[in-house]
Coordinates of all heavy atoms in Angstrom, one line a residue:
M1 N 0.8 -1.2 0.0 CA 0.0 0.0 0.0 C 0.9 1.3 0.0 O 0.7 2.2 -0.8 CB -0.9 0.0 1.2 CG -2.0 0.9 1.2 SD -3.4 0.6 2.4 CE -2.6 0.6 3.9
F2 N 1.9 1.3 0.9 CA 2.8 2.4 1.0 C 3.6 2.5 -0.3 O 3.8 3.6 -0.8 CB 3.7 2.3 2.2 CG 4.8 3.3 2.2 CD1 4.5 4.6 2.5 CD2 6.1 3.0 1.8 CE1 5.5 5.6 2.5 CE2 7.1 3.9 1.8 CZ 6.8 5.2 2.2
A3 N 4.1 1.4 -0.8 CA 5.0 1.5 -2.0 C 4.3 2.0 -3.2 O 4.8 2.8 -4.0 CB 5.6 0.1 -2.2
A4 N 3.0 1.5 -3.3 CA 2.2 2.0 -4.5 C 1.9 3.5 -4.4 O 2.1 4.2 -5.4 CB 0.9 1.2 -4.6
A5 N 1.6 4.0 -3.2 CA 1.3 5.4 -3.1 C 2.5 6.2 -3.2 O 2.5 7.3 -3.8 CB 0.6 5.6 -1.7
A6 N 3.6 5.8 -2.6 CA 4.9 6.5 -2.7 C 5.4 6.6 -4.1 O 5.9 7.6 -4.6 CB 5.9 5.9 -1.8
S7 N 5.3 5.5 -4.9 CA 5.8 5.5 -6.3 C 5.0 6.4 -7.2 O 5.5 6.9 -8.1 CB 5.8 4.1 -6.8 OG 4.5 3.6 -7.0
V8 N 3.8 6.7 -6.8 CA 2.9 7.6 -7.6 C 3.1 9.1 -7.1 O 3.3 10.0 -7.9 CB 1.4 7.2 -7.5 CG1 0.6 8.3 -8.1 CG2 1.2 5.9 -8.1
A9 N 3.2 9.3 -5.8 CA 3.2 10.7 -5.3 C 4.6 11.3 -5.2 O 4.7 12.5 -5.5 CB 2.6 10.7 -3.9
L10 N 5.6 10.6 -4.8 CA 6.9 11.2 -4.5 C 7.6 11.7 -5.7 O 8.2 12.8 -5.6 CB 7.8 10.2 -3.7 CG 7.3 9.9 -2.3 CD1 8.2 8.9 -1.6 CD2 7.2 11.2 -1.5
P11 N 7.6 11.1 -6.9 CA 8.4 11.6 -8.0 C 7.8 12.9 -8.5 O 8.5 13.7 -9.2 CB 8.3 10.6 -9.1 CG 8.0 9.3 -8.4 CD 7.2 9.7 -7.2
R12 N 6.6 13.2 -8.2 CA 5.9 14.4 -8.7 C 6.0 15.7 -7.9 O 5.6 16.7 -8.3 CB 4.4 14.1 -8.9 CG 4.1 13.0 -9.9 CD 2.7 12.7 -10.0 NE 2.5 11.5 -10.8 CZ 1.4 11.1 -11.3 NH1 0.3 11.7 -10.9 NH2 1.3 10.0 -12.1
I13 N 6.7 15.6 -6.8 CA 6.8 16.7 -5.9 C 8.3 17.1 -5.8 O 9.2 16.4 -6.1 CB 6.2 16.5 -4.5 CG1 6.9 15.4 -3.8 CG2 4.7 16.2 -4.6 CD1 6.5 15.3 -2.3
A14 N 8.5 18.4 -5.3 CA 9.8 18.9 -5.1 C 10.5 18.1 -4.0 O 9.9 17.6 -3.1 CB 9.7 20.4 -4.7
T15 N 11.8 18.0 -4.1 CA 12.7 17.2 -3.2 C 12.5 17.7 -1.7 O 12.5 16.8 -0.8 CB 14.1 17.3 -3.6 OG1 14.2 16.9 -5.0 CG2 15.0 16.4 -2.8
V16 N 12.3 18.9 -1.5 CA 12.2 19.5 -0.2 C 11.0 18.9 0.6 O 10.9 18.8 1.8 CB 12.3 21.0 -0.1 CG1 11.0 21.6 -0.7 CG2 12.6 21.5 1.2
W17 N 9.9 18.6 -0.2 CA 8.7 18.1 0.4 C 8.6 16.6 0.5 O 7.7 16.1 1.1 CB 7.5 18.6 -0.4 CG 7.3 20.1 -0.3 CD1 7.6 21.0 -1.2 CD2 6.9 20.8 0.9 NE1 7.3 22.3 -0.8 CE2 6.9 22.2 0.5 CE3 6.5 20.5 2.1 CZ2 6.5 23.2 1.4 CZ3 6.1 21.5 3.0 CH2 6.2 22.8 2.7
R18 N 9.6 15.9 0.0 CA 9.5 14.4 0.1 C 9.6 13.9 1.5 O 8.9 12.9 1.8 CB 10.6 13.8 -0.8 CG 10.2 14.0 -2.3 CD 11.2 13.4 -3.2 NE 10.9 13.8 -4.6 CZ 11.7 13.6 -5.6 NH1 12.9 13.1 -5.4 NH2 11.3 13.9 -6.8
P19 N 10.5 14.4 2.4 CA 10.6 13.8 3.7 C 9.3 13.9 4.5 O 8.8 12.9 5.0 CB 11.7 14.5 4.4 CG 12.6 14.9 3.3 CD 11.7 15.2 2.1
P20 N 8.6 15.1 4.5 CA 7.4 15.1 5.3 C 6.3 14.3 4.6 O 5.4 13.7 5.3 CB 7.0 16.6 5.4 CG 8.0 17.3 4.5 CD 9.1 16.4 4.2
L21 N 6.2 14.3 3.3 CA 5.2 13.5 2.6 C 5.4 12.0 2.9 O 4.5 11.3 3.1 CB 5.2 13.8 1.1 CG 4.1 13.0 0.4 CD1 2.7 13.4 0.8 CD2 4.2 13.2 -1.1
T22 N 6.7 11.6 2.8 CA 7.0 10.2 3.1 C 6.5 9.8 4.5 O 5.9 8.7 4.7 CB 8.5 9.9 2.9 OG1 8.9 10.3 1.6 CG2 8.8 8.5 3.2
A23 N 6.8 10.6 5.5 CA 6.4 10.3 6.9 C 4.9 10.3 7.0 O 4.3 9.4 7.6 CB 7.0 11.4 7.8
A24 N 4.2 11.3 6.4 CA 2.8 11.3 6.5 C 2.1 10.1 5.8 O 1.2 9.5 6.3 CB 2.3 12.6 5.9
L25 N 2.7 9.8 4.7 CA 2.1 8.6 3.9 C 2.3 7.3 4.6 O 1.4 6.5 4.7 CB 2.8 8.6 2.5 CG 2.2 7.7 1.5 CD1 0.8 8.1 1.2 CD2 3.1 7.8 0.2
W26 N 3.5 7.1 5.2 CA 3.8 5.9 6.0 C 2.8 5.8 7.2 O 2.2 4.8 7.5 CB 5.2 5.9 6.5 CG 5.5 4.6 7.2 CD1 5.3 4.4 8.6 CD2 6.0 3.4 6.7 NE1 5.7 3.2 8.9 CE2 6.1 2.5 7.8 CE3 6.4 3.0 5.4 CZ2 6.6 1.2 7.6 CZ3 6.9 1.7 5.3 CH2 7.0 0.9 6.4
V27 N 2.6 6.9 7.9 CA 1.8 6.9 9.1 C 0.3 6.7 8.7 O -0.4 6.0 9.4 CB 2.0 8.1 10.0 CG1 1.0 8.2 11.1 CG2 3.4 8.1 10.5
A28 N -0.1 7.3 7.6 CA -1.4 7.0 7.1 C -1.7 5.5 6.8 O -2.7 5.0 7.1 CB -1.7 7.9 5.9
C29 N -0.7 4.9 6.2 CA -0.8 3.5 5.9 C -0.8 2.7 7.2 O -1.5 1.7 7.3 CB 0.4 3.0 5.0 SG 0.3 3.6 3.3
E30 N 0.1 3.1 8.2 CA 0.0 2.4 9.5 C -1.3 2.5 10.2 O -1.9 1.6 10.7 CB 1.1 3.0 10.4 CG 2.5 2.4 10.3 CD 3.4 2.9 11.4 OE1 3.1 3.8 12.1 OE2 4.5 2.2 11.5
L31 N -1.9 3.7 10.1 CA -3.2 4.0 10.7 C -4.3 3.1 10.0 O -5.1 2.5 10.7 CB -3.5 5.5 10.7 CG -4.7 5.9 11.4 CD1 -4.6 5.6 12.9 CD2 -4.9 7.4 11.2
A32 N -4.2 3.1 8.7 CA -5.2 2.3 8.0 C -5.1 0.8 8.3 O -6.1 0.1 8.5 CB -5.1 2.5 6.5
R33 N -3.8 0.3 8.4 CA -3.6 -1.1 8.7 C -4.1 -1.4 10.1 O -4.7 -2.4 10.3 CB -2.1 -1.4 8.5 CG -1.8 -2.9 8.8 CD -0.3 -3.2 8.5 NE 0.5 -2.3 9.3 CZ 1.1 -2.7 10.5 NH1 0.8 -3.9 11.0 NH2 1.9 -1.9 11.1
A34 N -3.8 -0.5 11.0 CA -4.1 -0.8 12.4 C -5.6 -0.6 12.7 O -6.1 -1.4 13.5 CB -3.3 0.2 13.3
R35 N -6.2 0.3 12.0 CA -7.7 0.5 12.4 C -8.6 -0.2 11.4 O -9.7 -0.7 11.8 CB -8.0 2.0 12.3 CG -7.1 2.8 13.3 CD -7.5 2.5 14.7 NE -6.7 3.3 15.6 CZ -6.3 3.0 16.8 NH1 -6.7 1.9 17.3 NH2 -5.6 3.8 17.5
L36 N -8.3 -0.3 10.1 CA -9.2 -0.8 9.2 C -9.1 -2.3 8.9 O -10.0 -3.0 8.8 CB -9.1 -0.1 7.9 CG -9.4 1.4 7.9 CD1 -9.2 2.1 6.5 CD2 -10.8 1.7 8.4
L37 N -7.8 -2.7 8.8 CA -7.6 -4.1 8.4 C -7.6 -5.1 9.6 O -8.3 -6.1 9.5 CB -6.2 -4.2 7.7 CG -6.2 -3.4 6.4 CD1 -4.8 -3.6 5.7 CD2 -7.2 -3.8 5.4
T38 N -6.8 -4.8 10.6 CA -6.8 -5.8 11.7 C -7.4 -5.4 13.0 O -7.8 -6.2 13.8 CB -5.3 -6.1 12.0 OG1 -4.6 -4.9 12.5 CG2 -4.6 -6.7 10.8
G39 N -7.5 -4.1 13.2 CA -8.1 -3.6 14.4 C -7.1 -3.6 15.6 O -7.4 -3.1 16.7
E40 N -5.9 -4.1 15.4 CA -4.9 -4.1 16.4 C -3.6 -3.4 16.0 O -3.1 -3.8 14.9 CB -4.5 -5.6 16.8 CG -5.7 -6.4 17.4 CD -6.1 -5.9 18.8 OE1 -5.2 -5.3 19.5 OE2 -7.2 -6.1 19.1
P41 N -3.2 -2.4 16.7 CA -2.0 -1.7 16.2 C -0.7 -2.3 16.6 O 0.1 -1.9 17.5 CB -2.1 -0.3 16.9 CG -2.9 -0.6 18.2 CD -3.8 -1.8 17.8
W42 N -0.4 -3.5 16.0 CA 0.8 -4.2 16.3 C 1.9 -3.9 15.3 O 1.6 -3.6 14.2 CB 0.6 -5.7 16.4 CG -0.4 -6.1 17.4 CD1 -1.7 -6.5 17.1 CD2 -0.2 -6.2 18.8 NE1 -2.3 -6.8 18.3 CE2 -1.4 -6.6 19.3 CE3 0.8 -5.9 19.6 CZ2 -1.6 -6.7 20.7 CZ3 0.6 -6.0 21.0 CH2 -0.6 -6.4 21.5
M43 N 3.2 -3.9 15.7 CA 4.3 -3.8 14.9 C 4.4 -2.4 14.1 O 4.7 -2.4 13.0 CB 4.4 -4.9 13.9 CG 4.5 -6.3 14.5 SD 6.0 -6.5 15.5 CE 7.2 -6.5 14.3
L44 N 4.0 -1.4 14.8 CA 4.2 -0.1 14.2 C 5.6 0.4 14.4 O 6.3 0.0 15.4 CB 3.2 0.9 14.9 CG 1.7 0.5 14.7 CD1 0.8 1.5 15.5 CD2 1.3 0.3 13.3
L45 N 6.0 1.3 13.6 CA 7.4 1.8 13.6 C 7.7 2.5 14.9 O 8.9 2.4 15.4 CB 7.7 2.7 12.4 CG 9.1 3.2 12.3 CD1 10.1 2.0 12.1 CD2 9.2 4.1 11.1
G46 N 6.8 3.2 15.5 CA 7.0 4.0 16.7 C 7.4 3.1 17.9 O 8.1 3.6 18.8
Y47 N 7.1 1.8 17.8 CA 7.4 0.9 18.9 C 8.9 0.6 19.0 O 9.4 0.2 20.0 CB 6.7 -0.4 18.8 CG 5.2 -0.3 19.0 CD1 4.3 -0.9 18.2 CD2 4.7 0.5 20.1 CE1 2.9 -0.8 18.4 CE2 3.3 0.6 20.3 CZ 2.4 0.0 19.5 OH 1.1 0.1 19.7
A48 N 9.6 1.0 17.9 CA 11.1 0.7 17.9 C 11.8 1.7 18.9 O 12.9 1.4 19.3 CB 11.6 0.9 16.5
L49 N 11.1 2.7 19.3 CA 11.8 3.7 20.2 C 11.5 3.3 21.7 O 12.0 4.1 22.6 CB 11.2 5.1 20.0 CG 11.6 5.7 18.6 CD1 10.9 7.0 18.5 CD2 13.1 5.8 18.5
V50 N 10.9 2.2 22.0 CA 10.6 1.9 23.4 C 11.9 1.8 24.2 O 11.9 2.2 25.4 CB 9.8 0.5 23.4 CG1 9.8 0.0 24.8 CG2 8.4 0.8 22.9
P51 N 13.0 1.3 23.7 CA 14.2 1.2 24.6 C 14.8 2.6 24.9 O 15.7 2.7 25.8 CB 15.2 0.4 23.7 CG 14.4 -0.4 22.8 CD 13.2 0.5 22.5
S52 N 14.3 3.7 24.3 CA 14.9 5.0 24.5 C 13.9 5.9 25.3 O 13.0 6.5 24.7 CB 15.2 5.7 23.2 OG 15.6 7.0 23.4
P53 N 14.0 5.9 26.6 CA 13.0 6.6 27.4 C 12.9 8.1 27.1 O 11.8 8.7 27.1 CB 13.5 6.5 28.8 CG 14.4 5.3 28.8 CD 15.0 5.3 27.4
L54 N 14.0 8.7 26.6 CA 13.9 10.2 26.3 C 13.1 10.4 25.1 O 12.3 11.4 25.0 CB 15.3 10.7 26.1 CG 15.4 12.2 25.8 CD1 14.9 13.0 27.0 CD2 16.8 12.6 25.5
L55 N 13.2 9.6 24.1 CA 12.5 9.8 22.8 C 11.0 9.4 22.9 O 10.2 10.0 22.2 CB 13.1 9.0 21.7 CG 14.5 9.4 21.3 CD1 15.1 8.5 20.2 CD2 14.5 10.8 20.7
I56 N 10.7 8.4 23.7 CA 9.3 8.0 23.8 C 8.4 9.0 24.6 O 7.2 8.8 24.7 CB 9.1 6.6 24.3 CG1 9.6 6.5 25.7 CG2 9.7 5.6 23.4 CD1 9.2 5.1 26.4
Q57 N 9.0 10.0 25.1 CA 8.2 11.0 25.9 C 7.2 11.8 24.9 O 6.2 12.3 25.4 CB 9.0 12.0 26.6 CG 9.9 11.4 27.7 CD 9.1 10.5 28.7 OE1 8.1 11.0 29.2 NE2 9.5 9.3 28.9
T58 N 7.5 11.8 23.7 CA 6.6 12.5 22.7 C 5.4 11.7 22.5 O 4.4 12.2 21.9 CB 7.3 12.8 21.4 OG1 7.8 11.5 20.8 CG2 8.5 13.7 21.5
A59 N 5.3 10.5 22.9 CA 4.1 9.7 22.7 C 3.0 10.2 23.6 O 1.8 10.0 23.3 CB 4.4 8.2 23.1
D60 N 3.3 11.0 24.6 CA 2.2 11.6 25.4 C 1.5 12.6 24.5 O 0.3 12.9 24.8 CB 2.8 12.4 26.6 CG 3.3 11.5 27.7 OD1 2.9 10.3 27.7 OD2 4.1 11.9 28.5
L61 N 2.1 13.2 23.5 CA 1.4 14.2 22.7 C 0.6 13.6 21.6 O -0.4 14.1 21.2 CB 2.5 15.2 22.2 CG 3.3 15.9 23.2 CD1 4.4 16.7 22.5 CD2 2.4 16.8 24.1
G62 N 1.2 12.6 20.9 CA 0.5 12.1 19.7 C 0.5 10.6 19.6 O 0.2 10.0 18.5
G63 N 0.9 9.9 20.7 CA 0.8 8.4 20.6 C 2.0 7.8 19.8 O 2.9 8.5 19.4
V64 N 1.8 6.6 19.4 CA 2.8 5.9 18.7 C 2.9 6.4 17.3 O 4.0 6.3 16.6 CB 2.5 4.3 18.7 CG1 1.3 4.0 17.9 CG2 3.8 3.6 18.2
Y65 N 1.9 7.0 16.8 CA 1.9 7.6 15.4 C 2.8 8.8 15.3 O 3.5 9.0 14.3 CB 0.5 7.9 14.9 CG -0.4 6.7 14.9 CD1 -1.4 6.5 15.9 CD2 -0.2 5.7 14.0 CE1 -2.2 5.3 15.9 CE2 -0.9 4.5 14.0 CZ -1.9 4.4 15.0 OH -2.7 3.2 15.0
L66 N 2.9 9.6 16.3 CA 3.8 10.7 16.4 C 5.2 10.3 16.4 O 6.1 10.8 15.8 CB 3.5 11.7 17.5 CG 4.4 12.9 17.6 CD1 4.2 13.8 16.4 CD2 4.1 13.7 18.9
L67 N 5.5 9.2 17.1 CA 6.8 8.6 17.1 C 7.2 8.1 15.7 O 8.3 8.3 15.3 CB 6.9 7.4 18.1 CG 6.7 7.8 19.6 CD1 6.7 6.5 20.4 CD2 7.8 8.7 20.1
S68 N 6.3 7.5 15.0 CA 6.5 7.0 13.7 C 6.8 8.2 12.7 O 7.7 8.1 11.9 CB 5.3 6.2 13.2 OG 5.2 5.0 13.9
V69 N 6.1 9.3 12.9 CA 6.3 10.4 12.0 C 7.7 11.0 12.3 O 8.4 11.3 11.3 CB 5.2 11.5 12.3 CG1 5.7 12.9 11.7 CG2 3.9 11.1 11.7
G70 N 8.1 11.1 13.5 CA 9.4 11.6 13.8 C 10.5 10.7 13.3 O 11.5 11.2 12.7
D71 N 10.4 9.4 13.4 CA 11.3 8.4 12.9 C 11.5 8.6 11.4 O 12.6 8.8 10.8 CB 10.9 7.0 13.2 CG 11.3 6.5 14.5 OD1 12.1 7.3 15.2 OD2 10.9 5.4 14.9
L72 N 10.4 8.5 10.7 CA 10.4 8.6 9.3 C 10.8 9.9 8.7 O 11.5 10.0 7.7 CB 9.0 8.2 8.7 CG 8.9 6.7 8.7 CD1 7.4 6.3 8.6 CD2 9.6 6.1 7.5
F73 N 10.5 11.0 9.4 CA 10.9 12.3 8.9 C 12.4 12.4 9.0 O 13.1 12.9 8.0 CB 10.3 13.4 9.8 CG 10.6 14.8 9.2 CD1 9.9 15.2 8.1 CD2 11.5 15.6 9.9 CE1 10.1 16.5 7.6 CE2 11.7 16.9 9.4 CZ 11.0 17.3 8.3
A74 N 13.0 11.8 10.0 CA 14.5 11.8 10.1 C 15.1 10.9 9.0 O 16.1 11.3 8.4 CB 14.9 11.4 11.5
Y75 N 14.6 9.7 8.9 CA 15.1 8.8 7.9 C 15.0 9.3 6.5 O 15.9 9.2 5.7 CB 14.5 7.4 8.0 CG 14.6 6.8 9.3 CD1 13.6 5.9 9.8 CD2 15.6 7.0 10.2 CE1 13.6 5.3 11.0 CE2 15.7 6.4 11.4 CZ 14.7 5.6 11.9 OH 14.8 5.0 13.1
A76 N 13.8 9.9 6.2 CA 13.6 10.4 4.8 C 14.4 11.6 4.6 O 14.9 11.8 3.4 CB 12.1 10.7 4.6
G77 N 14.7 12.4 5.6 CA 15.6 13.6 5.4 C 17.0 13.2 5.1 O 17.6 13.8 4.3
V78 N 17.5 12.1 5.8 CA 18.8 11.6 5.5 C 18.9 11.1 4.1 O 19.8 11.3 3.3 CB 19.2 10.6 6.5 CG1 20.5 9.8 6.1 CG2 19.4 11.2 7.9
A79 N 17.9 10.3 3.7 CA 17.8 9.8 2.3 C 17.8 10.9 1.3 O 18.5 10.8 0.2 CB 16.6 8.8 2.2
A80 N 17.0 11.9 1.5 CA 17.0 13.0 0.6 C 18.3 13.8 0.5 O 18.7 14.2 -0.6 CB 15.8 14.0 1.0
A81 N 18.9 13.9 1.6 CA 20.2 14.6 1.6 C 21.3 13.8 0.9 O 22.1 14.3 0.1 CB 20.7 14.9 3.1
L82 N 21.3 12.5 1.1 CA 22.3 11.6 0.4 C 21.9 11.5 -1.1 O 22.9 11.5 -1.9 CB 22.2 10.2 1.0 CG 22.8 10.1 2.4 CD1 22.7 8.7 2.9 CD2 24.2 10.6 2.5
G83 N 20.7 11.6 -1.4 CA 20.3 11.6 -2.8 C 20.7 12.9 -3.5 O 21.1 12.9 -4.7
G84 N 20.6 14.0 -2.8 CA 21.0 15.3 -3.3 C 22.5 15.4 -3.6 O 23.0 16.1 -4.4
L85 N 23.3 14.6 -2.8 CA 24.7 14.6 -2.9 C 25.2 13.6 -4.0 O 26.3 13.5 -4.3 CB 25.4 14.2 -1.6 CG 25.2 15.2 -0.5 CD1 25.8 14.6 0.8 CD2 25.9 16.5 -0.8
G86 N 24.2 12.8 -4.5 CA 24.5 11.8 -5.5 C 25.1 10.5 -4.9 O 25.7 9.7 -5.6
I87 N 24.9 10.3 -3.6 CA 25.4 9.1 -3.0 C 24.4 8.0 -3.0 O 24.8 6.9 -3.3 CB 25.8 9.4 -1.5 CG1 26.9 10.5 -1.5 CG2 26.2 8.2 -0.7 CD1 27.2 11.0 -0.1
A88 N 23.2 8.3 -2.8 CA 22.1 7.2 -2.8 C 21.5 7.0 -4.1 O 21.6 7.9 -5.0 CB 21.0 7.6 -1.8
A89 N 21.0 5.9 -4.3 CA 20.2 5.5 -5.5 C 21.0 5.6 -6.8 O 20.6 6.1 -7.8 CB 18.9 6.4 -5.6
R90 N 22.3 5.2 -6.8 CA 23.0 5.1 -8.0 C 22.6 4.0 -8.8 O 22.3 2.9 -8.4 CB 24.5 4.9 -7.6 CG 25.1 6.1 -7.0 CD 26.6 6.0 -6.8 NE 27.1 7.1 -6.1 CZ 28.3 7.2 -5.7 NH1 29.1 6.2 -5.8 NH2 28.8 8.3 -5.1
T91 N 22.5 4.2 -10.1 CA 22.1 3.2 -11.0 C 23.3 2.6 -11.8 O 24.1 3.4 -12.2 CB 21.0 3.7 -12.0 OG1 21.6 4.8 -12.7 CG2 19.8 4.1 -11.3
P92 N 23.4 1.3 -11.9 CA 24.5 0.7 -12.6 C 24.4 1.1 -14.1 O 23.3 1.2 -14.7 CB 24.4 -0.7 -12.4 CG 23.0 -1.0 -12.0 CD 22.5 0.3 -11.4
R93 N 25.6 1.2 -14.7 CA 25.6 1.5 -16.2 C 25.9 0.3 -17.0 O 26.5 -0.6 -16.7 CB 26.6 2.5 -16.5 CG 26.2 3.8 -15.9 CD 27.2 4.9 -16.2 NE 26.8 6.1 -15.5 CZ 27.4 7.2 -15.6 NH1 28.5 7.3 -16.3 NH2 27.0 8.3 -15.0

């Protein structure tokens, strides 16, 4: 679900907007999977921060979904920065 939506939406927007859109799209897919498909929010990305007490404090504000947005925003930002430098996504010739 995420891969299909990302492959359609991400190439059409400016590079600066890709990290927030990636994070929002991922969390929307997590929310749909947790609420519509199974009814149980298991194995969400935000649960990966449980070993870090300092980072999970933001769950008070937005739950596990805010943790997922923060994770993905950081990861997508790093990927966009590496892609802008020509380091990531090299295609073989």
Side-chain angles (χ1 to χ4, degrees):
M1 194 162 60
F2 170 76
S7 67
V8 171
L10 292 179
R12 298 178 183 189
I13 63 169
T15 305
V16 71
W17 292 108
R18 287 181 186 166
L21 180 65
T22 301
L25 192 59
W26 180 273
V27 172
C29 290
E30 276 190 345
L31 187 62
R33 181 178 56 97
R35 301 291 180 209
L36 300 176
L37 299 179
T38 63
E40 298 291 333
W42 299 107
M43 301 299 291
L44 302 177
L45 184 63
Y47 292 137
L49 294 177
V50 168
S52 176
L54 182 63
L55 293 175
I56 62 170
Q57 298 306 310
T58 58
D60 287 343
L61 302 174
V64 71
Y65 300 109
L66 182 61
L67 295 174
S68 293
V69 165
D71 276 353
L72 278 160
F73 188 74
Y75 303 150
V78 169
L82 292 177
L85 294 174
I87 296 172
R90 291 186 182 168
T91 56
R93 292 182 183 181

